[in-house]
Amino acid sequence: RIRPQLSKEKIEGCHICTSVTPGEPQVLLGKDKAFTYDFVFDLDTWQEQIYTTCVGKLIEGCFEGYNATVLAYGQTGAGKTYTMGTGFDLNISEEEQGIIPRAISHLFSGIEERKRVAQSQGRAAPEFKVSAQFLELYNEEILDLFDSARDPDVRHRKSNIKIHEDASGSIYTTGVTSRLINSQDELIQCLKQGALSRTTASTQMNVQSSRSHAIFTIHLCQMRVCARPDKLLLPTTEYETLTAKFHFVDLAGSERLKRTGATGERAKEGISINCGLLALGNVISALGDQSKKVVHVPYRDSKLTRLLQDSLGGNSQTIMIACVSPSDRDFMETLNTLKYANRARNIKNKVVVNQDKTSQQISALRAEIARLQMELMEYKAGKRVIGEDGSEGYSDLFRENAMLQKENSTLRMRVKAMQEAIDAINSRVTHLMSQEANLMLARAGDGNEAIGTLIQNYIREIEELRTKLLESESMNESLRRSLSRVSTRAPYSMGSSPGSSLAGLCSPAAPVDTEASDVLRRAKQDLERLKKKERRQRRKSGCEEEDGREDEDEDSGSEDSLVDSDSDAEEKAVNFQADLADLTCEIEIKQKLIDELENSQRRLQTLKHQYEEKLILLQNKIRDTQLERDRVLQNLSTMECYTEEKANKIKADYEKRLKEMNRDLQKLQAAQKEHARLLKNQSRYERELRKLQAEVTEMKKAKVALMKQMREEQQRRRLAETKRNREIAQLKKEQRRQEFQIRALESQKRQQEIVLRRKTQEVRRRMDASSAPGQPEPNWGMLLGKHGFPGVAQPVAHVSLLPFGCRKKFPKKGTSQTFSKAARLKWQSLERRIFDIVMQRMTIVNLEADMERLIKKREELTLLQEALRGKRSKLQAENPKGLQELNEEIEVLGANIDYINDSISDCQATIMQIEETKEELDSTDTSVVISSCSLAEARLLLDNFLKASIDKGLQVAQKEAQIRLLEGRLRQTDMTGSSQNHAILDALREKAESHPELQALIHNVQQGGTWGSCQVSLGAGKQQHGHGEAAWPRQVRKGAGWTSPCCARQLLVSSSQVTCPSDPSWLRPPDVGFTPPSSPPTRPRNDRNVFSRLTSNQSQGSALDNVVPSTHPPPCLFFLSHARGVINPVGGTKNARTAPLQCVSMAEGHTKPVLCLDATDELLFTGSKDRSCKMWNLVTGQEIASLKGHPNNVVSIKYCSHTGLVFTVSTSYIKVWDIRDSARCIRTLTSSGQVISGDACAGTSTRTVTSVQGEHQINQIALNPTGTMLYAATGNSVRIWELSRLQPIGKLSGHIGPVMCLTVNQTASNHDLVVTGSKDHYIKVFEIAEGMVGNIGPTHNFEPPHYDGIECLAIQGDILFSGSRDNGIKKWDLEQQELIQQIPNAHKDWVCALAFIPGRPMVLSACRGGMIKVWNVDTFTPVGEIKGHDSPINAICTNSKHIFTASSDCRVKLWNYVPGLTPCLPRRVLAIKGRATSLP
């Protein structure tokens, strides 16, 4: 049952992760994981539907003497108590009543109904007795909730309730209060009383959580009149007693302790609950898993399973209701609950009726009487007989009678069907023959309607007679067969021959032509012989086919098949079957032709016989008429009254009659002529019959040959399949051998890696120990070696951190412990199984942690979104002007929540996939391996498990000792840092006597109680963290430099007198600002620049120099000495007159290598490894502000002149800074597409090397020329950001390696042209049209690729230059999409940077060796080179006046291009280094 979502879950933005398949009892968890049960109830299911569907029939079964159980299982807050109905809320309605109140009502209404029905039928009313028990299992102690003398507060006292098992295996308890119930209200009241006595407490998952298992039991005893069969008429009334018990089980929550947040007593309760549920799960697994075939079921592991022994696999009808939550926050609990219930579904209980012994004996006797009466009737009827040996059995007469009855019924159906067919055929034949006779008469000219009717009546009569004749012949044949059968059975001869007695019946109705009958007889004999041979061939082929099928079944285990040979054999078999079918069809056709000829001959003989009889009859009639005429004439002549007239009259009368007779005779003679003509055709029919006979003979021979060929082909196919299966088995054996070798090599490789890792850790540990001589490290290996641990005399760093179960080989001692091959294989299989289990659990734990983190983040963002919406609703009424920013923030939060939901769904899908893999692995359980071990192998396995356990315990002890040691070092470091901070503060107090500003600052620090509030700006006028906007000069807001004369003085005070705490969080902007001290008095300006004055003040021997020894300067002082950067002019250099570039200035201020830069005509932005970005004023040559708080190196920086925003990249984050009013971080963009309001890295005090899970390193960013799109190289793809909304809109994909660099240009159609270079050596081009979103593929892939990863790109118009780690530079044509030129060794090291000189056809390239080269764009020839830095050059950028280079020497140099100078390289060197490879 899936409960509805709670209001709290909806507010916190929880999504529904379950769904129900319509019309099927199936629930889907996540995207596609399906679980099938007997019933599934969705969110909107009412209580009544659940009761009617599941529990109602169990109550009805109790009246018939069957036990029943209803279990409610699930996590806390899933609705178990609500479903069972033990909550008893005062405000609950009748529709919301649970299972137990409805079952009580159903029980008592059923009792009343049965009493009323018995009275209406005149029987004695049944007697019922109802009793109830209510038990609570709390901390593995059974408590009686009906015990009024029990103190509810004393729950830890041992209970006196015992569990017993009777002789029949049923479970019962002693010491439990059993209350006799008389009415429904009384039972409800008892249930309420017990429910209120249950142990409940508040947890994080539920305000009122059940902390114990509750079992409410109803016992029903019923005495009723026995239901007797009608045959057993007994004079007295008999009674039977039925008993039944109904368990209602409300289990406690199944969630884990970390979800409930339980501690102390609640934690102990949770552990006890989980122990009981674990035992219940083991019982369910033992009963439900049919593959294990477990003999022992651990009922005694817990009192819960012991109490429910009847319900699980015993005498009870059991329903388990799994209550689950639909929210994705409870995904893991829901998954575990569904898996738990899925195992329980496989249990099969054995249910019998619970009767008292008397009732059982009466029922058994009654059944025995009925059985004996039935046997007696069978003996009387002759159905049963007793053999000579005394064995009972059924008589042959009975069996024959059964067979004959079955055959008779079949024949009756056939006769009925055939009679209908005969009638239809007779009517059709009569109609056709009458039509044929009418046509013949019409041709002869004698046809009329009367003759046609007469002929039709004759034909009908002929057909009827023919039918009767056929029936007589078939009856005669059957009588002859029966007579022959009787004659063969009779031991004595009869008085007369049966053939002679039936001679009259067997004689034909009329003689037929001898030759025709002989032909027909031979045809019949040949056809019968052919049919018999065909049946024999079919039986043989059927047997062969069965053999073939058996062989195929035996060989079906082979996985691979040879498709070509199979197809040929199958094609031949199909051809043979087709030929055989054709032969059979032709034989049937010939048979039909022979039958038709025989029928036509029979009809001709019958017609001939009838016509001859009629002709003889008519001739006799004519002769009699003539004789009568003569006699009459003679009599007339002798008569007295003879007159001529009377004689003529009589004569005319007779002549008339003679004429009619002659006419009839002529007609019959014509018919006789037609019949004679038909008889003449008889020879043709005989020829056709002989021809058909010959054809049948040929077909028979062809069929025999075909069957023989089929047998030969089947034999060949069987041999080929046997050979193929033998080859497949050989290949499988070879594959298994290779797999074993691979696993052995992998194991050897893992051992070597472990040894190498240990040695590396040992070297690192020794280096650390040598670098910190004041911290001696104990030799754990020596200490442990003294105590007798073999093979562990090694340092702590040697211990492998692999989890238990990794494939680690343990040391072998002596030949007695040598593994046999079988034992070694079993040990390896156990190791692999344990390793797989550990890895799966670690993966699932990590995924659960990620999911919980995402859920907490979603809750925070949801609450923030709700707060912003409330604020927006207020502003709509008060101040509608500020709604735009609020709407943007709400939209950003919504996008982030959607992204988090997608991430949660991905985690859930991964967990489901791992669970499916886990289920597949469970099929090869370790218990199977262990159970198949011999005693010696089991001892060896146990010895290895003991060694592994000792080794893992030793590793744990070593790691704990190492952790304690590191914690001690950390505490010592904190103490040292605190003492140094106090020393610095004392020195600053001494210095503050002459500086009122510093004194006020220290006073503010002491008042605030935190070091973080003392941080002041390294710029002038305004704190860099945004404390007040008035302090920022107007020129900075416009992008220009400062002109205030007090800037330098304030910077001097701020930089030379500020104190630095040990806590690195002082670099972050404080939450509250303070008023900066007043400006110092005006002093005459020194000619030196600010950086010179700052360094000179440091060199004058202030108190700061004596705080810490010079060998270990504190980090804060080192930062102060370089806190504010300046741009110093540089004098003439050695190659100034010949070099094409001249260095004019140098910007210093970063403490670590400068990795990236960007510049306009007035501002310069630099990013460094010191996790900061500096903003420089190129007009004044001073640093304006420092953008800090990055988690790691700043690898890319871009400034958008259209919006005044600065984008900095560090690890997987892009920080968006607004420098128009104050240098504050307004948004943080992540590589995965999230948008975080404010500075997401504000809490980062230490360097973060690794990225958050799900994020990727961002290597470079680029802006399109219009400033509307930002492109970020993230992993193997480039994410597109729309700057107007700061939302991700798409992704550029296609690389198989990380994208290292990218550049953006604009096409003639105003589309963005993005060029990317990757570690996969390829350069790809993407054209982004307006409105394109989603996943975008490349429009072109440049070939051939570089020989190594791409480090830099530069684009101008249709020309693209690319620099690579292979030291080469390539020139590409974007319009033609082809390579123009390439210089393989343009530099001696990696080409790290490329840039175009504005306004000139020159391109710059810089390498990791510090060299800068100038190339002509058109000819791609070198113009000159210069050693720009002594360290690697990391980036180049240009503005309209200068060229900027960033180097690992922590400096940024400003260069001017000097046109028209002679290149500094000799011609000979240029010819070598400048050789370009031109491609067609």
Side-chain angles (χ1 to χ4, degrees), residues 1308-1346:
S1309 57
N1310 293 329
H1311 294 170
D1312 288 349
L1313 191 68
V1314 183
V1315 184
T1316 58
S1318 170
K1319 246 183 181 178
D1320 61 5
H1321 310 175
Y1322 277 94
I1323 301 171
K1324 297 183 184 293
V1325 181
F1326 302 82
E1327 185 171 355
I1328 315 299
E1330 186 177 358
M1332 291 182 66
V1333 295
N1335 200 354
I1336 303 172
T1339 58
H1340 184 67
N1341 188 18
F1342 280 122
E1343 295 280 354
H1346 281 274

Short mmCIF file of all heavy atoms in Angstrom, two decimals, residues 1308-1346:
data_model
loop_
_atom_site.label_atom_id
_atom_site.label_comp_id
_atom_site.label_asym_id
_atom_site.label_seq_id
_atom_site.Cartn_x
_atom_site.Cartn_y
_atom_site.Cartn_z
N ALA A 1308 29.13 35.67 -40.52
CA ALA A 1308 28.46 36.76 -41.24
C ALA A 1308 26.97 36.78 -40.95
O ALA A 1308 26.33 37.83 -41.03
CB ALA A 1308 28.70 36.60 -42.75
N SER A 1309 26.41 35.65 -40.58
CA SER A 1309 24.98 35.59 -40.26
C SER A 1309 24.71 35.83 -38.78
O SER A 1309 23.65 35.46 -38.27
CB SER A 1309 24.41 34.23 -40.68
OG SER A 1309 25.13 33.19 -40.06
N ASN A 1310 25.69 36.40 -38.07
CA ASN A 1310 25.57 36.72 -36.65
C ASN A 1310 25.36 35.47 -35.79
O ASN A 1310 24.72 35.53 -34.73
CB ASN A 1310 24.44 37.72 -36.40
CG ASN A 1310 24.75 39.08 -37.00
OD1 ASN A 1310 25.93 39.47 -37.07
ND2 ASN A 1310 23.73 39.78 -37.46
N HIS A 1311 25.90 34.34 -36.24
CA HIS A 1311 25.88 33.13 -35.42
C HIS A 1311 27.21 33.01 -34.69
O HIS A 1311 28.25 33.44 -35.19
CB HIS A 1311 25.66 31.89 -36.27
CG HIS A 1311 24.30 31.84 -36.90
ND1 HIS A 1311 23.95 30.91 -37.87
CD2 HIS A 1311 23.20 32.61 -36.70
CE1 HIS A 1311 22.70 31.11 -38.23
NE2 HIS A 1311 22.23 32.14 -37.54
N ASP A 1312 27.17 32.41 -33.49
CA ASP A 1312 28.40 32.18 -32.75
C ASP A 1312 29.13 30.98 -33.33
O ASP A 1312 28.53 29.91 -33.53
CB ASP A 1312 28.09 31.92 -31.26
CG ASP A 1312 27.64 33.19 -30.56
OD1 ASP A 1312 27.78 34.26 -31.16
OD2 ASP A 1312 27.17 33.10 -29.41
N LEU A 1313 30.43 31.18 -33.60
CA LEU A 1313 31.27 30.10 -34.10
C LEU A 1313 32.23 29.72 -32.98
O LEU A 1313 33.13 30.50 -32.63
CB LEU A 1313 32.03 30.55 -35.35
CG LEU A 1313 32.75 29.45 -36.14
CD1 LEU A 1313 31.74 28.53 -36.79
CD2 LEU A 1313 33.68 30.04 -37.17
N VAL A 1314 32.04 28.57 -32.39
CA VAL A 1314 32.84 28.11 -31.26
C VAL A 1314 33.81 27.05 -31.76
O VAL A 1314 33.41 26.07 -32.39
CB VAL A 1314 31.93 27.52 -30.15
CG1 VAL A 1314 32.77 27.11 -28.95
CG2 VAL A 1314 30.88 28.53 -29.74
N VAL A 1315 35.10 27.28 -31.48
CA VAL A 1315 36.15 26.34 -31.85
C VAL A 1315 36.73 25.79 -30.57
O VAL A 1315 37.10 26.55 -29.66
CB VAL A 1315 37.25 27.02 -32.70
CG1 VAL A 1315 38.27 25.99 -33.15
CG2 VAL A 1315 36.63 27.73 -33.89
N THR A 1316 36.82 24.46 -30.48
CA THR A 1316 37.29 23.81 -29.26
C THR A 1316 38.47 22.91 -29.58
O THR A 1316 38.53 22.30 -30.64
CB THR A 1316 36.18 22.95 -28.62
OG1 THR A 1316 35.75 21.97 -29.56
CG2 THR A 1316 34.99 23.82 -28.24
N GLY A 1317 39.41 22.86 -28.64
CA GLY A 1317 40.55 21.95 -28.72
C GLY A 1317 40.59 21.05 -27.51
O GLY A 1317 40.36 21.50 -26.38
N SER A 1318 40.90 19.79 -27.74
CA SER A 1318 40.76 18.81 -26.66
C SER A 1318 42.03 18.01 -26.50
O SER A 1318 42.95 18.06 -27.31
CB SER A 1318 39.59 17.87 -26.97
OG SER A 1318 39.56 16.79 -26.09
N LYS A 1319 42.04 17.25 -25.39
CA LYS A 1319 43.14 16.35 -25.12
C LYS A 1319 43.15 15.18 -26.09
O LYS A 1319 44.12 14.43 -26.15
CB LYS A 1319 43.05 15.83 -23.69
CG LYS A 1319 44.18 16.28 -22.79
CD LYS A 1319 44.05 15.67 -21.41
CE LYS A 1319 45.20 16.17 -20.53
NZ LYS A 1319 45.09 15.64 -19.16
N ASP A 1320 42.03 14.97 -26.81
CA ASP A 1320 41.97 13.88 -27.78
C ASP A 1320 42.63 14.24 -29.11
O ASP A 1320 42.45 13.54 -30.10
CB ASP A 1320 40.52 13.46 -28.02
CG ASP A 1320 39.67 14.60 -28.58
OD1 ASP A 1320 40.22 15.68 -28.87
OD2 ASP A 1320 38.44 14.41 -28.70
N HIS A 1321 43.36 15.39 -29.13
CA HIS A 1321 44.18 15.85 -30.27
C HIS A 1321 43.35 16.49 -31.37
O HIS A 1321 43.92 16.92 -32.37
CB HIS A 1321 45.01 14.72 -30.89
CG HIS A 1321 45.80 13.92 -29.91
ND1 HIS A 1321 46.52 12.80 -30.27
CD2 HIS A 1321 45.98 14.05 -28.57
CE1 HIS A 1321 47.10 12.28 -29.21
NE2 HIS A 1321 46.79 13.03 -28.15
N TYR A 1322 42.03 16.59 -31.20
CA TYR A 1322 41.19 17.07 -32.29
C TYR A 1322 40.69 18.49 -32.00
O TYR A 1322 40.56 18.91 -30.83
CB TYR A 1322 39.99 16.14 -32.48
CG TYR A 1322 40.29 14.93 -33.32
CD1 TYR A 1322 40.67 13.74 -32.73
CD2 TYR A 1322 40.23 14.99 -34.72
CE1 TYR A 1322 40.97 12.62 -33.50
CE2 TYR A 1322 40.52 13.88 -35.49
CZ TYR A 1322 40.90 12.71 -34.88
OH TYR A 1322 41.19 11.61 -35.65
N ILE A 1323 40.38 19.19 -33.11
CA ILE A 1323 39.77 20.52 -33.06
C ILE A 1323 38.42 20.40 -33.74
O ILE A 1323 38.32 19.89 -34.86
CB ILE A 1323 40.65 21.57 -33.77
CG1 ILE A 1323 42.04 21.63 -33.12
CG2 ILE A 1323 39.98 22.93 -33.74
CD1 ILE A 1323 43.02 22.48 -33.90
N LYS A 1324 37.39 20.88 -33.07
CA LYS A 1324 36.04 20.80 -33.61
C LYS A 1324 35.45 22.20 -33.66
O LYS A 1324 35.76 23.07 -32.85
CB LYS A 1324 35.15 19.89 -32.74
CG LYS A 1324 35.61 18.44 -32.71
CD LYS A 1324 34.67 17.56 -31.89
CE LYS A 1324 35.20 16.13 -31.80
NZ LYS A 1324 35.19 15.45 -33.09
N VAL A 1325 34.53 22.40 -34.62
CA VAL A 1325 33.88 23.69 -34.85
C VAL A 1325 32.38 23.50 -34.64
O VAL A 1325 31.79 22.55 -35.17
CB VAL A 1325 34.16 24.22 -36.27
CG1 VAL A 1325 33.50 25.57 -36.48
CG2 VAL A 1325 35.66 24.33 -36.49
N PHE A 1326 31.79 24.39 -33.86
CA PHE A 1326 30.36 24.38 -33.60
C PHE A 1326 29.78 25.72 -34.03
O PHE A 1326 30.32 26.77 -33.67
CB PHE A 1326 30.06 24.18 -32.11
CG PHE A 1326 30.63 22.91 -31.53
CD1 PHE A 1326 31.97 22.84 -31.12
CD2 PHE A 1326 29.84 21.79 -31.39
CE1 PHE A 1326 32.48 21.69 -30.59
CE2 PHE A 1326 30.35 20.62 -30.85
CZ PHE A 1326 31.67 20.57 -30.46
N GLU A 1327 28.69 25.69 -34.79
CA GLU A 1327 28.00 26.92 -35.18
C GLU A 1327 26.69 26.98 -34.40
O GLU A 1327 25.83 26.09 -34.52
CB GLU A 1327 27.73 26.95 -36.68
CG GLU A 1327 27.12 28.28 -37.13
CD GLU A 1327 27.07 28.40 -38.65
OE1 GLU A 1327 27.59 27.49 -39.33
OE2 GLU A 1327 26.50 29.40 -39.13
N ILE A 1328 26.54 28.01 -33.58
CA ILE A 1328 25.40 28.13 -32.67
C ILE A 1328 24.48 29.21 -33.21
O ILE A 1328 24.82 30.40 -33.17
CB ILE A 1328 25.85 28.47 -31.23
CG1 ILE A 1328 27.04 27.60 -30.81
CG2 ILE A 1328 24.68 28.32 -30.27
CD1 ILE A 1328 26.73 26.13 -30.81
N ALA A 1329 23.34 28.80 -33.72
CA ALA A 1329 22.35 29.77 -34.18
C ALA A 1329 21.50 30.24 -33.01
O ALA A 1329 21.47 29.62 -31.94
CB ALA A 1329 21.48 29.16 -35.27
N GLU A 1330 20.79 31.31 -33.23
CA GLU A 1330 19.96 31.86 -32.17
C GLU A 1330 18.79 30.90 -31.90
O GLU A 1330 18.12 30.42 -32.80
CB GLU A 1330 19.42 33.23 -32.60
CG GLU A 1330 18.64 33.94 -31.48
CD GLU A 1330 18.18 35.32 -31.89
OE1 GLU A 1330 18.52 35.72 -33.03
OE2 GLU A 1330 17.51 35.99 -31.09
N GLY A 1331 18.59 30.63 -30.63
CA GLY A 1331 17.50 29.76 -30.22
C GLY A 1331 17.86 28.30 -30.13
O GLY A 1331 17.01 27.49 -29.74
N MET A 1332 19.10 27.94 -30.47
CA MET A 1332 19.50 26.53 -30.36
C MET A 1332 19.75 26.18 -28.90
O MET A 1332 20.48 26.89 -28.19
CB MET A 1332 20.76 26.25 -31.18
CG MET A 1332 20.55 26.32 -32.68
SD MET A 1332 22.06 25.94 -33.61
CE MET A 1332 22.29 24.22 -33.19
N VAL A 1333 19.15 25.08 -28.45
CA VAL A 1333 19.30 24.62 -27.08
C VAL A 1333 19.53 23.12 -27.11
O VAL A 1333 19.39 22.46 -28.13
CB VAL A 1333 18.06 24.95 -26.21
CG1 VAL A 1333 17.91 26.45 -26.07
CG2 VAL A 1333 16.81 24.35 -26.81
N GLY A 1334 19.87 22.58 -25.93
CA GLY A 1334 20.03 21.15 -25.79
C GLY A 1334 21.43 20.69 -26.18
O GLY A 1334 22.40 21.46 -26.13
N ASN A 1335 21.54 19.47 -26.59
CA ASN A 1335 22.82 18.86 -26.93
C ASN A 1335 23.12 19.15 -28.40
O ASN A 1335 22.38 18.75 -29.29
CB ASN A 1335 22.75 17.36 -26.68
CG ASN A 1335 24.14 16.77 -26.54
OD1 ASN A 1335 25.13 17.46 -26.73
ND2 ASN A 1335 24.21 15.50 -26.22
N ILE A 1336 24.23 19.85 -28.67
CA ILE A 1336 24.57 20.31 -30.01
C ILE A 1336 25.86 19.61 -30.44
O ILE A 1336 26.83 19.55 -29.68
CB ILE A 1336 24.73 21.84 -30.05
CG1 ILE A 1336 23.44 22.52 -29.55
CG2 ILE A 1336 25.08 22.31 -31.45
CD1 ILE A 1336 23.56 24.00 -29.37
N GLY A 1337 25.86 19.07 -31.63
CA GLY A 1337 27.03 18.39 -32.16
C GLY A 1337 27.87 19.30 -33.03
O GLY A 1337 27.45 20.40 -33.43
N PRO A 1338 29.09 18.89 -33.34
CA PRO A 1338 29.99 19.73 -34.14
C PRO A 1338 29.55 19.78 -35.60
O PRO A 1338 28.99 18.83 -36.14
CB PRO A 1338 31.34 19.05 -33.98
CG PRO A 1338 31.01 17.62 -33.70
CD PRO A 1338 29.73 17.64 -32.93
N THR A 1339 29.83 20.93 -36.22
CA THR A 1339 29.56 21.07 -37.65
C THR A 1339 30.75 20.64 -38.49
O THR A 1339 30.59 20.32 -39.67
CB THR A 1339 29.21 22.53 -37.98
OG1 THR A 1339 30.30 23.38 -37.55
CG2 THR A 1339 27.93 22.93 -37.25
N HIS A 1340 31.94 20.63 -37.89
CA HIS A 1340 33.12 20.19 -38.64
C HIS A 1340 34.17 19.69 -37.66
O HIS A 1340 34.28 20.18 -36.54
CB HIS A 1340 33.70 21.33 -39.49
CG HIS A 1340 34.86 20.90 -40.34
ND1 HIS A 1340 34.70 20.03 -41.40
CD2 HIS A 1340 36.18 21.19 -40.28
CE1 HIS A 1340 35.89 19.83 -41.96
NE2 HIS A 1340 36.80 20.52 -41.29
N ASN A 1341 34.94 18.72 -38.12
CA ASN A 1341 36.03 18.15 -37.34
C ASN A 1341 37.29 18.28 -38.17
O ASN A 1341 37.40 17.70 -39.25
CB ASN A 1341 35.72 16.68 -37.02
CG ASN A 1341 36.72 16.10 -36.04
OD1 ASN A 1341 37.42 16.84 -35.36
ND2 ASN A 1341 36.80 14.79 -36.01
N PHE A 1342 38.27 19.08 -37.69
CA PHE A 1342 39.46 19.35 -38.49
C PHE A 1342 40.37 18.12 -38.52
O PHE A 1342 40.64 17.49 -37.49
CB PHE A 1342 40.22 20.55 -37.91
CG PHE A 1342 39.64 21.87 -38.31
CD1 PHE A 1342 39.22 22.79 -37.37
CD2 PHE A 1342 39.50 22.21 -39.65
CE1 PHE A 1342 38.69 24.00 -37.74
CE2 PHE A 1342 38.97 23.42 -40.03
CZ PHE A 1342 38.56 24.32 -39.07
N GLU A 1343 40.83 17.81 -39.71
CA GLU A 1343 41.76 16.71 -39.95
C GLU A 1343 42.96 17.26 -40.71
O GLU A 1343 42.82 18.15 -41.56
CB GLU A 1343 41.09 15.60 -40.78
CG GLU A 1343 39.93 14.90 -40.11
CD GLU A 1343 40.38 13.86 -39.11
OE1 GLU A 1343 41.61 13.62 -39.06
OE2 GLU A 1343 39.54 13.31 -38.40
N PRO A 1344 44.18 16.76 -40.50
CA PRO A 1344 44.55 15.74 -39.53
C PRO A 1344 44.70 16.35 -38.13
O PRO A 1344 44.95 17.55 -38.00
CB PRO A 1344 45.90 15.24 -40.06
CG PRO A 1344 46.48 16.43 -40.76
CD PRO A 1344 45.34 17.18 -41.34
N PRO A 1345 44.59 15.54 -37.09
CA PRO A 1345 44.72 16.09 -35.74
C PRO A 1345 46.18 16.32 -35.37
O PRO A 1345 47.11 15.91 -36.06
CB PRO A 1345 44.11 14.98 -34.86
CG PRO A 1345 44.35 13.73 -35.64
CD PRO A 1345 44.25 14.11 -37.08
N HIS A 1346 46.38 17.00 -34.23
CA HIS A 1346 47.72 17.15 -33.67
C HIS A 1346 48.19 15.81 -33.10
O HIS A 1346 47.40 14.87 -32.93
CB HIS A 1346 47.71 18.21 -32.57
CG HIS A 1346 47.73 19.62 -33.11
ND1 HIS A 1346 48.88 20.28 -33.44
CD2 HIS A 1346 46.72 20.50 -33.37
CE1 HIS A 1346 48.60 21.50 -33.87
NE2 HIS A 1346 47.29 21.66 -33.85
#
